[in-house]
């Protein structure tokens, strides 16, 4: 029996050759149920078979803030301006953790999911997107902790949120784009160069010290400030902290540089990821 292929209505059509800039966003939307399932899996697996369960979401930023306060503020005597040291470090820790988690976990997407990628078709972009969304849930939990500390110091008259707090959604979006973009580039390159996995592991620790997390940008020597400001996270962290607790100032040049850098890195990451996903199974 002859079948008329022109009249067939397929739910999904997979083509071998495709445009490099075709990101299959329609397919990503069609698979949104899978996205939410992966987000739920990541969230539940984080505290599954642990004694303290979801409390680990709070323990990490609390202990990091306490250690930073004792080591860098009390022992190293690094000045953080007029802001309470604990609130200053909590703001930096919470924002940095979100960016760091997005980058490090998306940087191993191809390697960690090579088995399922080789067996089942679905838009590969679903995996890194699920990581970004699940990290956003984790950030939301830690942000509640930060908000409680902020309200406490506001009642004591030591924290002064200002109008720049309205940039908060944009800052979070840019952090996600920056972390996701760099992570996509790294995961694409690690299909051939596994060394990059180790570079990311210790590179993130070094990058944190090159970002104004434990010190305000104003405390850095004048001749080094422009070098620190080249880090796209610098403008985002400084704006986040200034908007919520009134510490430091708004560096417009650093912020708009962060906006441009985040968008460029994200577009570059998507293009590289889209190119490598077609044949990475042969090399990973």
């Amino acid at each position: 029996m002859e079948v008329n292929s022109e009249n067939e209505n397929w739910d999904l059509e997979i083509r071998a050759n495709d445009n490099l800039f075709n990101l299959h966003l329609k397919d990503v939307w069609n698979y949104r149920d899978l996205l939410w399932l992966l987000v739920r899996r990541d969230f539940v697996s984080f505290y599954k078979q642990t004694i303290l369960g979801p409390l680990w979401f709070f323990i990490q930023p609390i202990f990091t803030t306490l250690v930073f306060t004792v080591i860098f503020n009390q022992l190293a005597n690094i000045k953080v301006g007029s802001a309470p040291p604990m609130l200053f470090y909590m703001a930096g820790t919470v924002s940095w953790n979100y960016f760091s988690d997005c980058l490090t976990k998306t940087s191993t997407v191809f390697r960690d999911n090579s088995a399922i990628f080789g067996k089942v078709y679905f838009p590969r972009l679903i995996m890194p997107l699920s990581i970004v969304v699940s990290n956003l849930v984790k950030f939301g939990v830690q942000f509640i902790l930060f908000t409680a500390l902020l309200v406490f110091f506001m009642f004591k008259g030591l924290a002064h949120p200002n109008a720049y707090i309205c940039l908060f959604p944009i800052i979070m979006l840019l952090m996600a784009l920056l972390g996701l973009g760099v992570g996509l580039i790294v995961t694409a390159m690690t299909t051939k160069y596994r060394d990059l996995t180790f570079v990311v592991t210790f590179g993130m620790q070094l990058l944190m010290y090159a970002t104004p997390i434990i010190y305000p940008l104003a405390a850095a020597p004048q001749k080094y400030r422009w070098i620190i400001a080249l880090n796209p996270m610098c403008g985002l962290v400084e704006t986040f902290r200034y908007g919520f607790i009134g510490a430091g100032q708004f560096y417009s040049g650093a912020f708009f540089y962060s906006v441009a850098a985040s968008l460029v890195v994200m577009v570059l990451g998507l293009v590289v990821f889209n190119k490598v996903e077609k044949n990475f199974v042969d090399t990973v």
Side-chain angles (χ1 to χ4, degrees), residues 15 31 34-35 37 68 84-85 88 99 101 130 141 179 235 238 243:
R15 297 184 178 89
Y31 279 81
L34 176 61
L35 174 68
L37 284 174
F68 281 3
F88 179 91
F99 165 75
D101 286 344
S130 70
V141 175
E238 283 287 339

Side-chain angles (χ1 to χ4, degrees), residues 67-85:
V67 170
F68 281 3
T69 303
V70 172
I71 299 296
F72 297 111
N73 185 255
Q74 301 299 319
L75 297 182
N77 200 27
I78 296 178
K79 302 299 181 185
V80 296
S82 59

Side-chain angles (χ1 to χ4, degrees), residues 170-247:
I170 299 175
I171 293 172
M172 293 310 302
L173 176 62
L174 293 173
M175 284 184 183
L177 294 180
L178 186 62
L180 179 61
V182 178
L184 291 179
I185 295 173
V186 173
T187 193
M189 296 182 69
T190 49
T191 57
K192 290 185 178 179
Y193 310 104
R194 297 293 183 95
D195 308 66
L196 285 172
T197 305
F198 304 105
V199 173
V200 170
T201 302
F202 77 88
M204 289 304 296
Q205 299 174 6
L206 299 179
L207 186 60
M208 190 196 74
Y209 292 107
T211 307
I213 303 298
I214 60 174
Y215 56 87
L217 183 59
Q222 183 70 39
K223 62 181 179 181
Y224 295 128
R225 287 182 192 174
W226 70 272
I227 299 176
I228 298 173
L230 289 178
N231 176 0
M233 276 297 292
C234 175
L236 301 179
V237 171
E238 283 287 339
T239 306
F240 178 90
R241 202 154 44 201
Y242 180 62
F244 276 98
I245 65 179

